[in-house]
């Protein structure tokens, strides 16, 4: 099996571990600042990232590789909500680029299952990006009025 594909799967796993830590941190911080509605949605996305990290690990093990446990970036703490969204939009955009590129390489390496896994994750990451961009738009347009609706 291709070492190239295992490396791509592990790079993706590192990205997922970053996202998990980042979204869970934001979840606690938002909860603490009484933005409960936003907090529970961020938590829900974090749990989806956990499932991604698991699926990647299973695929890596199947290919006889070793799943990494290292995130690829440091978790940002204490950000204001607009900065959180900037962080998350960057994480998701980079993941989408990374997974699109990876699926092309998997096809070239004739690893259809790994390609399908990247495509499956892509669908979720596009949904996450869309959500974070929508929240950013609402804040840009409505500001504190929108944030007030996220309390509770
Ligand atoms: Fe993910
Ligand atoms: Fe995501």
């Amino acid at each position: 099996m291709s070492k190239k594909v295992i490396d791509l799967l592990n790079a993706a796993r590192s990205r997922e571990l970053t996202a998990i830590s980042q979204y869970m941190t934001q979840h606690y911080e938002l909860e603490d600042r009484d933005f409960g509605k936003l907090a529970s949605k961020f938590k829900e996305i974090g749990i989806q990232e956990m499932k991604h990290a698991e699926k990647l690990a299973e695929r890596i093990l199947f290919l006889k590789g070793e799943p990494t446990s290292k995130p690829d970036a440091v978790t940002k703490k204490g950000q204001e909500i607009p900065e959180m969204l900037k962080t998350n939009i960057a994480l998701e955009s980079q993941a989408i680029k990374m997974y699109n590129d990876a699926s092309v390489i998997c096809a070239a390496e004739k690893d259809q299952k790994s390609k399908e896994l990247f495509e499956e994750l892509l669908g979720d990451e596009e949904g996450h990006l869309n959500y974070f961009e929508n929240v950013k738009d609402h804040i840009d347009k409505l500001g504190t009025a929108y944030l007030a609706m996220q309390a509770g």
Side-chain angles (χ1 to χ4, degrees):
M1 278 299 180
S2 157
K3 161 105 171 54
K4 218 187 248 180
V5 170
I6 292 170
D7 288 347
L8 288 170
L9 292 163
N10 259 329
R13 195 173 138 83
S14 286
R15 169 43 44 113
E16 296 293 343
L17 294 174
T18 298
I20 292 164
S21 173
Q22 187 62 71
Y23 301 160
M24 287 301 157
T25 297
Q26 292 171 349
H27 162 252
Y28 309 135
E29 290 181 348
L30 289 167
E31 194 70 58
D32 190 49
R33 295 182 218 164
D34 199 30
F35 290 110
K37 285 180 192 161
L38 220 49
S40 56
K41 184 71 189 169
F42 280 35
K43 179 183 174 186
E44 195 185 295
I45 295 177
I47 291 170
Q48 289 179 10
E49 310 297 17
M50 288 177 197
K51 291 180 181 162
H52 292 173
E54 277 300 303
K55 284 183 180 178
L56 288 159
E58 283 163 12
R59 186 71 192 152
I60 292 161
L61 286 167
F62 178 81
L63 298 174
K64 311 264 185 276
E66 196 186 323
T68 182
S69 54
K70 280 195 199 113
D72 66 0
V74 176
T75 305
K76 293 180 174 152
K77 293 188 179 149
Q79 291 189 306
E80 294 300 325
I81 293 173
E83 276 72 52
M84 287 181 182
L85 291 162
K86 230 173 153 182
T87 298
N88 302 0
I89 287 168
L91 282 176
E92 297 291 342
S93 305
Q94 291 156 8
I96 289 167
K97 162 116 183 47
M98 198 188 284
Y99 299 174
N100 266 311
D101 291 347
S103 77
V104 173
I105 298 170
C106 289
E109 295 290 313
K110 298 192 168 39
D111 183 341
Q112 189 60 27
K113 279 288 159 198
S114 297
K115 178 176 183 282
E116 281 169 16
L117 175 56
F118 278 116
E119 286 169 349
E120 182 193 332
L121 301 193
L122 266 174
D124 288 343
E125 312 309 3
E126 287 184 357
H128 300 164
L129 178 62
N130 188 44
Y131 169 74
F132 290 131
E133 284 180 340
N134 284 341
V135 175
K136 183 184 178 297
D137 284 351
H138 293 322
I139 294 172
D140 288 348
K141 285 190 192 114
L142 302 167
T144 49
Y146 174 78
L147 289 175
M149 294 189 310
Q150 304 307 313

